[in-house]
Amino acid sequence: GTAPKSLPSYASWKDADSMIVHSANTIETKRTAFGSSVITPTNRLFVRNNVAPPTDASMMKEPDSWTLEVSGVAKPRSFTVAELKTLGLAAVPMVLQCSGNGRAWFPHKPSGTQWTVGAAGCVVFTGVPVKALLEAVGGMSEGMVYMTSTGGEPIPQGLDPNTIRVERSVPISAIEDAILAWEINGEALPLAHGGPLRIIVPGYTGVNSIKYIKQLAFTKEQSPAKIQQTSYRWTAVGEKPSPKDESIWELPVKSWINFPSDPEQTVAAGRVQISGIAMGGMTAAKSIEVSVNGGKDWQKAEFVGPDLGKYAWREFVFSADLAAGTHELACRATNEAGDTQPEARRENNRGYINNSWRDHMVSIKVA
Ligand code: MSS
């Protein structure tokens, strides 16, 4: 095989043994490295950048002086992070999951990083609620339907900014739980995860949570940036992407087994604790089932550990007696809205939002 790539300098503090470095902009958590304590340690959390992150080291020297420009409101103005810290405080435990997590299983081999399960993590972001910010600026201007966030990457001269700018619009309903975050898992938000300041849109796919945010605008139209107009859409396989295709926004119900999941490992016959995570998407995970025969029969598994609210994932466990041989282990979650994780993925050109339980199944050797 090829030697593992090494961590890029901006993410050199990651736990190398827990990560798969696909490229300098795409770093995945190993399936065996999630642990079973609900929260994903920051040094094991995946990283995904659409364009190289800013390299200006001074940005992180005085994170409190980073500025955010707010528009599409009664009183447009800019805020430093220090000023934002005076407006309110909220902590949001939530799943951060890349739109492309699970892409590796799409049979048409979509272009993009071949993530399996590790472009996701459950973390706590802390910051100011967007609603508190809105109060401070006299509310939104009339007729606004999107919240549009712009990343702070420098745009090289001579290029059409719309082809590079990382700018995403989400429906205005997302302001309900959105925050502007400066902290993750109790530590200052590092550049790799969007420091000094990042918008967090709980329940939405990762791309909608813009890092090193420079502008927050309430708008009538979706961003004209390519990343909004034609990327991250439910485009049919083989079709040209169109702004008419549905946008990739909300996450669906999903689960997967983390232990045992290593195909290289042989599990001892007898009693085995099968464990993993389950998430509900826009509502809480309500129940979880496990199958030890490739999805023929299902049995209820138990949630374990703390319930951190509807946007977080839950740990689950299922005790099984496994005889020597090969076993196909699967799991299937149901959320509070009544949606059950489907057997089949929803096909789409770029391989987004794979929540197929069959694709996430693991084949285990027991001896
Ligand atoms: N932001 C910015 N500014 N830039 C970029 O590139 N990316 C996205 C988000 N945000 C970006 C941003 C994506 S795409 C994702 S996932 C996320 O981010 C990730 O995160 P982390 O922290 O993990 O790195 Mo897919 O849907």
Side-chain angles (χ1 to χ4, degrees):
T2 44
K5 295 188 190 85
S6 56
L7 290 162
S9 57
Y10 74 90
S12 59
W13 50 272
K14 292 275 168 186
D15 176 22
D17 289 343
S18 298
M19 312 306 293
I20 304 160
V21 183
H22 294 282
S23 76
N25 284 331
T26 48
I27 307 167
E28 174 164 8
T29 310
K30 287 183 183 166
R31 193 166 187 164
T32 50
F34 281 106
S36 48
S37 304
V38 183
I39 295 301
T40 309
T42 314
N43 68 355
R44 298 184 186 185
L45 180 65
F46 81 102
V47 176
R48 194 284 192 250
N49 300 308
N50 295 69
V51 298
T55 49
D56 178 6
S58 68
M59 230 169 102
M60 296 306 295
K61 286 218 179 84
E62 282 178 55
D64 277 358
S65 55
W66 178 262
T67 59
L68 172 75
E69 206 183 292
V70 182
S71 63
V73 295
K75 291 175 264 173
R77 54 163 285 195
S78 69
F79 290 86
T80 62
V81 170
E83 288 169 322
L84 290 175
K85 285 179 174 174
T86 68
L87 300 181
L89 189 69
V92 184
M94 55 160 259
V95 174
L96 180 68
Q97 182 175 203
C98 181
S99 311
N101 201 27
R103 178 180 289 130
W105 289 298
F106 280 82
H108 68 286
K109 300 261 173 285
S111 67
T113 306
Q114 299 302 298
W115 310 107
T116 61
V117 296
C122 185
V123 293
V124 182
F125 284 109
T126 302
V128 61
V130 168
K131 280 171 106 180
L133 170 70
L134 273 169
E135 239 173 76
V137 292
M140 233 180 275
S141 304
E142 220 175 292
M144 299 308 174
V145 279
Y146 297 105
M147 176 172 76
T148 299
S149 307
T150 311
E153 290 97 340
I155 307 284
Q157 282 206 333
L159 291 168
D160 174 0
N162 281 332
T163 62
I164 300 171
R165 186 170 285 150
V166 183
E167 187 173 86
R168 288 284 297 174
S169 305
V170 295
I172 219 70
S173 55
I175 66 170
E176 211 47 50
D177 294 319
I179 65 168
L180 287 154
W182 50 77
E183 191 177 303
I184 185 171
N185 293 343
E187 294 170 343
L189 190 62
L191 175 81
H193 296 298
L197 188 71
R198 174 180 200 170
I199 187 100
I200 293 299
V201 186
Y204 281 57
T205 68
V207 71
N208 299 292
S209 289
I210 295 297
K211 306 198 257 189
Y212 7 90
I213 185 173
K214 273 316 262 179
Q215 287 174 42
L216 184 69
F218 297 89
T219 58
K220 289 186 173 151
E221 308 283 345
Q222 293 183 26
S223 163
K226 181 174 174 285
I227 195 171
Q228 179 75 29
Q229 290 292 315
T230 53
S231 303
Y232 298 92
R233 300 242 166 213
W234 287 101
T235 302
V237 175
E239 293 295 309
K240 255 188 80 184
S242 153
K244 289 198 190 94
D245 300 330
E246 206 184 316
S247 194
I248 298 287
W249 279 328
E250 296 182 357
L251 284 164
V253 61
K254 183 170 178 177
S255 69
W256 64 77
I257 288 164
N258 284 325
F259 183 84
S261 69
D262 186 350
E264 315 277 288
Q265 213 188 351
T266 301
V267 177
R271 176 86 1 154
V272 178
Q273 302 300 322
I274 299 167
S275 63
I277 61 87
M279 66 189 93
M282 297 300 287
T283 64
K286 189 182 182 192
S287 61
I288 176 78
E289 299 159 285
V290 165
S291 169
V292 294
N293 57 8
K296 281 190 212 75
D297 302 294
W298 294 93
Q299 277 171 280
K300 206 173 175 298
E302 295 302 319
F303 287 133
V304 291
D307 177 354
L308 296 177
K310 64 176 176 177
Y311 297 121
W313 66 30
R314 294 294 309 267
E315 300 286 334
F316 70 82
V317 70
F318 182 79
S319 295
D321 284 309
L322 299 181
T326 299
H327 299 266
E328 307 283 344
L329 309 182
C331 60
R332 182 171 77 176
T334 298
N335 67 14
E336 289 288 352
D339 304 323
T340 295
Q341 199 179 336
E343 176 170 4
R345 75 193 86 76
R346 177 173 167 192
E347 302 297 343
N348 66 91
N349 202 41
R350 292 300 306 279
Y352 295 128
I353 310 200
N354 188 350
N355 68 337
S356 148
W357 61 253
R358 185 166 289 284
D359 284 352
H360 291 76
M361 207 155 72
V362 285
S363 188
I364 288 304
K365 272 183 275 137
V366 175

